Amino acid sequence: MADSTTAVPEPRRHDTREAILFGGVYGSVLACSMVAALTQYGHTSQDSRRYDAVWLLVTALASALAHGYAHYIAERAPHRRWDAVRVLADEWPLVTAVLPTVAILAGAGWGWWPANGVEYPAFTLNIVLLFALGLVTARWSHRSWPVAVLTGLVDALLGVIVVVANAIIK
């Protein structure tokens, strides 16, 4: 008879800082990419900006679910009852990172500011967020200020690449 009291190993937990960096960078790059894709055809009405805000949020939620699920199945270890929910909940930084861009797009959709050209403030915001995430995370890891600034610049470069690609594709 098999021993049914075998201990289930604890799945690898990502620390909060790692989750914030990964989710923040992923979410900010996702927001830049979605804004570039959704504004490609020049739809700049208030209705289209509200639509863009909803699609960005739906895409972030779907990405978080896909990433959490991939972590869950990749562990290949016995799982406890609520492990799937825990793994999915760990994806909160990804969704949180797109919320400022969702607010910018929704605000344009509600008429708080012009709907035309709102992608440029969205790009700028996400590039600044990427820089800040890199800088703060490097400092959390006790890196020197020059290394932290360089890390922030490299992270910001990811957003700049999306903006440049958007300009070239248009």
Side-chain angles (χ1 to χ4, degrees):
M1 183 191 264
D3 183 13
S4 62
T5 61
T6 305
V8 176
E10 187 69 29
R12 181 187 180 283
R13 297 280 300 175
H14 300 283
D15 75 358
T16 303
R17 291 178 181 175
E18 179 184 352
I20 289 171
L21 175 65
F22 176 83
V25 169
Y26 189 94
S28 295
V29 171
L30 175 71
C32 274
S33 300
M34 285 295 296
V35 168
L38 290 168
T39 60
Q40 178 182 5
Y41 298 106
H43 301 291
T44 59
S45 69
Q46 287 184 344
D47 287 341
S48 67
R49 293 306 182 184
R50 286 191 301 270
Y51 173 86
D52 294 349
V54 170
W55 267 111
L56 176 56
L57 189 57
V58 167
T59 301
L61 290 169
S63 296
L65 286 171
H67 188 258
Y69 179 71
H71 272 291
Y72 179 76
I73 62 172
E75 288 174 351
R76 296 190 181 196
H79 294 285
R80 289 189 229 139
R81 187 168 297 178
W82 294 102
D83 283 350
V85 174
R86 178 197 48 81
V87 169
L88 293 175
D90 285 346
E91 298 301 320
W92 68 266
L94 190 159
V95 177
T96 303
V98 304
L99 293 179
T101 306
V102 168
I104 288 174
L105 294 171
W110 293 323
W112 296 349
W113 39 79
N116 188 22
V118 77
E119 64 269 16
Y120 301 109
F123 289 148
T124 303
L125 172 70
N126 283 293
I127 291 168
V128 169
L129 285 173
L130 285 163
F131 175 79
L133 282 166
L135 179 76
V136 168
T137 305
R139 291 300 297 158
W140 276 344
S141 300
H142 306 290
R143 302 289 195 273
S144 67
W145 276 104
V147 170
V149 169
L150 182 61
T151 302
L153 290 172
V154 170
D155 280 4
L157 183 62
L158 295 171
V160 171
I161 289 169
V162 171
V163 172
V164 170
N166 180 51
I168 290 171
I169 291 170
K170 279 187 174 180

